[in-house]
Amino acid sequence: MLAYLFDDRHRQEFNARRMNYWDAYIAEIFELLGLRGRALSTGEVERGGLAGVETLLIGACSGRRLSPAAREAVTAWVEAGGALIGFATEGLDRVFGIESLAPQAMKEGYTAPTKIQQGADDWAINGYVELRSHALTREVHHMLHLHQRIPVVSDIAIARLAGATELGVLYDVNQKLLCLPVIAWNAFGKGHAAYFAFDLPKTVWLMHQGRPAPDHPEDGKYPRAHDMSILGQNSKLVPYADELCWLLRNLVAVKPHAFICPVPPRDGRVADAVLYYGGDEYRGPVELSIKAAEFMHELGIPYQTNLESDLHPMTKEEHAYIRSLGTEVSAYYHLYEHDGFTMKPEHYRFQSDKFLERFGYRPVVSVNHCVRWKGWTEPAKWMRDAGARADNGFAGKCVPNDCHFRNSASFAFGFGTSYPFYFWDDWRGGNARIDFMEQPIVGYEIGHRTSTSVRRDPDTRAFEEIHFIVGLAVRYHLAVNLFYHPYYLVNSESCRDALRELLRYIGYLGATVAHFNNRMMAEWWDARHASTVGAPELSDSGLTVACDCRHKGGMTVRLPLPEGRPAAAQCNGAPTGHRQVREFGRDWLLAVVPEGCSRLDVRWASTDSGRTA
């Protein structure tokens, strides 16, 4: 069993002091990794709650408040064979194989910094991680971006190694090497412990949701979602939050846990990546949406077109025809000049009601006017309350409005991830999960230059961009949101050629890629959230996993395998699509299970059948 420490008493205490309980986001990280775990309170740990737990995660908030009894219980549990992962957890130095400077300074009577504190606020980058070469860090950070280290967005504890192996070394905010361990791995008794000197859940949370949108952005225009990104001048070609989660996955996989892959299967086969497509059509002419839908249908690609529900001339007959081609129709939430283009909850409700009145359903995944945003989580709650499931406006690119290329092609992980994620509230909302997701835009008008704001270039075909994105998505099993306006799909041959090249290159790689529109992606992510995988039951001949899949297209389960052990899979006693791969420094089995409850059986084989390089 997998568990994490979540003490609601601690959360209430933090929130009462107007502070966030960052440990709450461990649940969202589990969501991203496709893990199913149990939350334990400090009291449960003290009373024997670790019985049956194989892996335990402890965050920085509750990890600084462990009672002596809880520390003793955790220490004995690791020594007996448990796997511990701690984020700036205090009082367990011997287990982690480190020596914190805080108790040493008190003992020897000198004054010295015991942690590197964040600067101006919670969103400030406070240092950087450079991963060391180790089986647990293999392939986590892309080799072409070695010069770009992973930002840390929290306080950083100062410690030194006392028997542990260094997995990551610390650089300060000015990129100066500090020669201090920031991630460590230690064998303790029969178990293992991983130590992070920083608050990983907080770092991932704030990379995802960014800082609250400024009322007055630096460019003097209205606040946009990409103004919230905290990455600053760091390269946005690196999915920092995903890399931290991939490292965490490697650490968790030291024990035999099952993961639900973020990429759904395609036609019963394990898929390498999922690409999903949409774009804004605004207020007509409707021929743009019709012809764009027809073109995407010819390619076999689902698509979504977003329109202004109270102003667009689309008829019900045109709407039905467009949807019959596999193109979803949704809302482009626009603003009104008469009230200064102000974002208000009543605008969302009015436009959602109008969409329902005209087309018989509420928008599922929508876009705000010019990817506008307000505050931190307020628009997410307004859209949720208006009946929507997801926003599609966290664009990774951040270019000033006076830049001639502001609307041209971009590829960026501006919020540290390629994957959808659910919003979580701040201390005012009890740090609760908001049942509404973000689908960050990763690729924008990629592969052509027709959309350039000034002096449009209809001739250039930048297919190397397509190759890079597809290659990265396939290699790391990403979910990539690709944004193409209907206008360019209809009026730009170079835009259409970019999508043709995307399909050709996927075929050239021999990759299996699932193609979705924004609504399909939201439905998959919600279904994945509702699905479960049990703890693997091990035997001499293999292992068995109980699965409950809520997605009509099935899901893929990822299982860590013993080193060099070929395996084959069956589901409910029948053959199922599966693939054995070596990735991230270890062997894995990827196996497809259908919708509903099923039993996945993995049996050790005596040959190399099923292995993929």
Side-chain angles (χ1 to χ4, degrees):
M1 182 174 68
L2 179 69
Y4 65 100
L5 193 63
F6 180 94
D7 198 307
D8 198 57
R9 179 171 53 87
H10 293 167
R11 181 197 61 77
Q12 292 179 33
E13 292 172 359
F14 272 84
N15 292 169
R17 295 163 57 193
R18 299 187 176 188
M19 298 172 65
N20 289 311
Y21 182 69
W22 303 110
D23 297 1
Y25 211 66
I26 296 176
E28 181 64 20
I29 291 173
F30 277 15
E31 190 74 45
L32 291 165
L33 292 175
L35 286 166
R36 298 296 175 257
R38 177 187 170 195
L40 293 176
S41 68
T42 305
E44 287 175 302
V45 171
E46 294 170 347
R47 296 188 297 271
L50 292 177
V53 174
E54 292 182 295
T55 304
L56 174 68
L57 281 70
I58 301 180
C61 295
S62 286
R64 291 193 295 265
R65 296 182 168 208
L66 289 177
S67 66
R71 290 197 293 269
E72 289 177 11
V74 171
T75 299
W77 169 78
V78 177
E79 196 165 20
L84 173 66
I85 301 173
F87 308 116
T89 305
E90 296 179 0
L92 294 170
D93 285 10
R94 189 165 64 94
V95 178
F96 290 123
I98 62 166
E99 185 179 17
S100 299
L101 296 191
Q104 187 69 18
M106 292 177 62
K107 178 180 178 181
E108 298 182 10
Y110 63 86
T111 302
T114 59
K115 66 179 178 180
I116 302 171
Q117 294 185 321
Q118 273 184 286
D121 54 36
D122 276 322
W123 293 269
I125 292 175
N126 196 34
Y128 294 87
V129 177
E130 181 175 276
L131 296 180
R132 294 309 206 193
S133 179
H134 190 278
L136 290 169
T137 64
R138 194 165 297 162
E139 302 178 57
V140 167
H141 190 65
H142 201 290
M143 294 296 287
L144 297 183
H145 297 294
L146 289 180
H147 61 285
Q148 175 60 71
R149 301 175 184 97
I150 303 173
V152 173
V153 191
S154 74
D155 291 345
I156 303 170
I158 298 176
R160 53 192 173 205
L161 298 176
T165 299
E166 186 176 65
L167 298 184
V169 66
L170 180 63
Y171 283 72
D172 71 9
V173 72
N174 297 313
Q175 304 278 0
K176 178 183 177 182
L177 176 63
L178 296 182
C179 296
L180 293 171
V182 69
I183 307 173
W185 176 249
N186 189 49
F188 183 76
K190 296 180 181 179
H192 293 86
Y195 175 76
F196 290 77
F198 63 98
D199 192 335
L200 184 147
K202 177 182 179 181
T203 295
V204 173
W205 188 347
L206 297 185
M207 283 185 183
H208 283 169
Q209 290 185 205
R211 64 170 61 248
D215 291 331
H216 304 287
E218 291 181 3
D219 64 7
K221 300 291 183 178
Y222 40 76
R224 297 164 295 179
H226 53 236
D227 294 318
M228 301 164 67
S229 173
I230 64 173
L231 296 179
Q233 296 304 309
N234 292 287
S235 172
K236 296 181 178 64
L237 296 179
V238 182
Y240 304 105
D242 293 344
E243 290 188 344
L244 290 172
C245 290
W246 295 334
L247 174 59
L248 192 58
R249 181 176 63 188
N250 277 2
L251 298 172
V252 170
V254 168
K255 296 288 187 178
H257 297 290
F259 303 78
I260 302 174
C261 292
V263 175
R266 177 173 178 177
D267 301 326
R269 294 172 293 153
V270 174
D272 299 293
V274 56
L275 309 180
Y276 57 112
Y277 311 80
D280 300 337
E281 198 260 271
Y282 310 115
R283 60 179 65 175
V286 71
E287 287 75 21
L288 290 175
S289 286
I290 291 174
K291 291 179 180 179
E294 290 173 340
F295 170 70
M296 297 296 270
H297 180 69
E298 290 174 6
L299 296 184
I301 296 177
Y303 181 65
Q304 175 168 308
T305 183
N306 306 308
L307 50 86
E308 299 180 9
S309 57
D310 58 331
L311 299 175
H312 199 283
M314 183 180 293
T315 66
K316 288 185 177 180
E317 293 74 21
E318 291 164 338
H319 171 267
Y321 173 66
I322 289 169
R323 293 191 85 200
S324 74
L325 297 175
T327 288
E328 173 67 1
V329 179
S330 192
Y332 176 89
Y333 283 122
H334 65 100
L335 305 176
Y336 298 94
E337 185 175 6
H338 69 267
D339 63 359
F341 300 103
T342 304
M343 298 182 74
K344 296 180 179 178
E346 52 264 34
H347 292 336
Y348 289 101
R349 173 57 66 178
F350 170 75
Q351 292 179 47
S352 177
D353 288 346
K354 183 62 67 173
F355 195 96
L356 174 65
E357 175 187 322
R358 294 184 61 189
F359 302 123
Y361 63 95
R362 293 193 183 276
V364 177
V365 183
S366 59
V367 181
N368 288 322
H369 174 89
C370 293
V371 295
R372 288 280 299 272
W373 203 259
K374 184 180 179 66
W376 203 40
T377 61
E378 290 84 346
K381 289 183 276 192
W382 298 341
M383 285 181 271
R384 176 204 61 190
D385 294 344
R389 293 294 312 126
D391 174 65
N392 176 36
F394 277 35
K397 175 181 173 182
C398 185
V399 177
N401 270 312
D402 59 358
C403 176
H404 281 202
F405 301 97
R406 66 183 179 273
N407 201 47
S408 61
S410 71
F411 172 63
F413 302 105
F415 293 86
T417 184
S418 79
Y419 303 109
F421 56 85
Y422 293 101
F423 286 90
W424 287 68
D425 218 335
D426 64 10
W427 58 270
R428 290 168 294 184
N431 291 137
R433 175 182 175 274
I434 298 169
D435 191 25
F436 187 83
M437 79 181 74
E438 178 58 45
Q439 296 181 353
I441 298 172
V442 175
Y444 181 89
E445 300 293 351
I446 289 294
H448 73 104
R449 297 291 180 267
T450 317
S451 64
T452 302
S453 297
V454 178
R455 296 181 181 176
R456 292 180 176 177
D457 174 5
D459 302 319
T460 297
R461 287 158 171 78
F463 292 165
E464 71 281 356
E465 298 170 352
I466 296 289
H467 300 166
F468 179 75
I469 292 173
V470 171
L472 200 65
V474 168
R475 180 69 189 83
Y476 285 93
H477 312 302
L478 304 182
V480 178
N481 185 356
L482 296 175
F483 194 100
Y484 289 95
H485 289 85
Y487 178 88
Y488 302 116
L489 292 175
V490 173
N491 293 301
S492 169
E493 189 64 25
S494 59
C495 176
R496 293 191 292 272
D497 282 348
L499 284 162
R500 295 185 185 110
E501 176 61 17
L502 180 144
L503 296 180
R504 186 205 68 80
Y505 191 64
I506 290 172
Y508 167 78
L509 293 177
T512 300
V513 172
H515 299 279
F516 280 0
N517 58 36
N518 295 101
R519 177 171 183 159
M520 294 167 66
M521 191 65 200
E523 290 171 346
W524 154 243
W525 209 251
D526 276 340
R528 180 176 180 259
H529 166 71
S531 301
T532 60
V533 286
E537 300 175 11
L538 301 175
S539 68
D540 292 338
S541 58
L543 58 86
T544 300
V545 182
C547 306
D548 182 5
C549 174
R550 303 300 178 88
H551 183 246
K552 63 182 179 182
M555 67 185 186
T556 300
V557 177
R558 174 183 284 265
L559 294 164
L561 295 178
E563 189 71 18
R565 199 71 175 278
Q570 287 190 331
C571 187
N572 296 330
T576 189
H578 68 278
R579 186 191 304 173
Q580 188 170 344
V581 297
R582 186 164 184 83
E583 297 175 335
F584 297 97
R586 67 168 306 126
D587 292 334
W588 304 85
L589 184 76
L590 308 176
V592 175
V593 298
E595 182 181 16
C597 295
S598 59
R599 176 187 175 96
L600 179 64
D601 292 303
V602 177
R603 292 295 172 258
W604 313 137
S606 57
T607 68
D608 289 335
S609 60
R611 180 181 288 278
T612 300

